[in-house]
Amino acid sequence: MAATTPATLTARALLLDMDGTLVNSDAVVERCWRRWADRQGLDADAVLKVVHGRQGYATMAVLLPERPMEENHADNRLMLAEETADLDGVVPVPGAPAFMAAIAELPHALVTSADEALAQARMGAAGLRMPELRVTAEQVGASKPDPEGFLKGAAELGFAPADCLVFEDSEAGIAAGRAAGMRVVGVGPRAAAFGPDVHVEDLTRIRIEPAADGSIALTILP
């Protein structure tokens, strides 16, 4: 369970996951991964419990530990193309448009397990502004729950990990944020079970304001 929620958090920079945090792409993810599970003879419901937050090849490695990694990477390329072409049902998480508008002039970056093409497609389908700075799948050597992506985002923004606040929805993403030495705001129904520092049902429960000292003040609304 999440720790007791303080009324206000402060940070110097914000690091944002995409799927499940800013964009609700669950319908596409479920369609594509159910088809993949059927092709592999796996139980689709079991597969869907582990897909969120990771890059596709890393999910496949968990589910098919004996399969050569090159096969996982080949399958992942096909999966990315399939997901990029399927935008039916991709919508913003409640509050995401206002949230993105509020942080437009504040230090922030997108840190996603999607590649650049998929990130552009889903943010566009959801009608959300794409952050200028983003760390996508092509830019890291390890998938979440490895902290590489968040550490790279912090470094590129020029802030220490302790000064960054991560927004995540998945077990893998929350673990990555914690491993990076960052505080984590869990967003959405999945996140509450994975021990974020703060949990909100969606982004309508957050108010963002620049503080007088140049930091970012985040208020959790009841």
Side-chain angles (χ1 to χ4, degrees), residues 131-164:
E132 181 177 345
L133 178 60
R134 45 199 180 269
V135 180
T136 57
E138 301 96 328
Q139 298 171 265
V140 296
S143 170
K144 299 172 186 177
D146 191 282
E148 181 186 356
F150 286 124
L151 291 171
K152 185 167 187 175
E156 292 193 11
L157 286 170
F159 293 96
D163 290 328
C164 298

Side-chain angles (χ1 to χ4, degrees), residues 23 31 61 106 111 113 127-128 133 166 171 179 184 187 209-210 216:
V23 173
R31 282 195 295 273
L106 303 175
V111 181
S113 292
L128 297 176
L133 178 60
V166 166
E171 182 177 16
V184 181
V187 180
E209 296 174 316
I216 301 166

Side-chain angles (χ1 to χ4, degrees), residues 1 5 8 19 25 41 44 52 58 62 65-66 68 73 107 117 120 125 150 153 165 168 178 184 191-192 199 207 220:
M1 296 297 292
T5 302
T8 303
D19 291 302
S25 56
H52 297 290
V62 170
E66 303 302 319
H73 282 288
Q120 291 281 1
F150 286 124
L165 201 56
E168 266 286 359
R178 287 202 170 281
V184 181
H199 176 253
R207 185 172 72 239
I220 307 299

Side-chain angles (χ1 to χ4, degrees), residues 5-11 165 183-185 197-198 216-220:
T5 302
T8 303
L9 297 172
T10 59
L165 201 56
R183 293 160 295 153
V184 181
V185 177
D197 295 277
V198 171
I216 301 166
L218 179 149
T219 301
I220 307 299

Side-chain angles (χ1 to χ4, degrees), residues 82-100:
E82 189 176 345
E83 289 188 293
T84 302
D86 184 354
L87 300 174
D88 187 25
V90 174
V91 295
V93 165
F99 177 85
M100 292 302 290

Side-chain angles (χ1 to χ4, degrees), residues 16-54:
L16 317 172
D17 174 52
M18 181 181 71
D19 291 302
T21 302
L22 299 174
V23 173
N24 183 343
S25 56
D26 283 0
V28 179
V29 170
E30 181 163 336
R31 282 195 295 273
C32 292
W33 281 96
R34 281 190 181 278
R35 287 195 293 267
W36 182 86
D38 288 344
R39 292 195 296 270
Q40 304 304 322
L42 298 174
D43 178 73
D45 290 335
V47 167
L48 290 172
K49 290 179 180 178
V50 298
V51 300
H52 297 290
R54 294 180 174 87

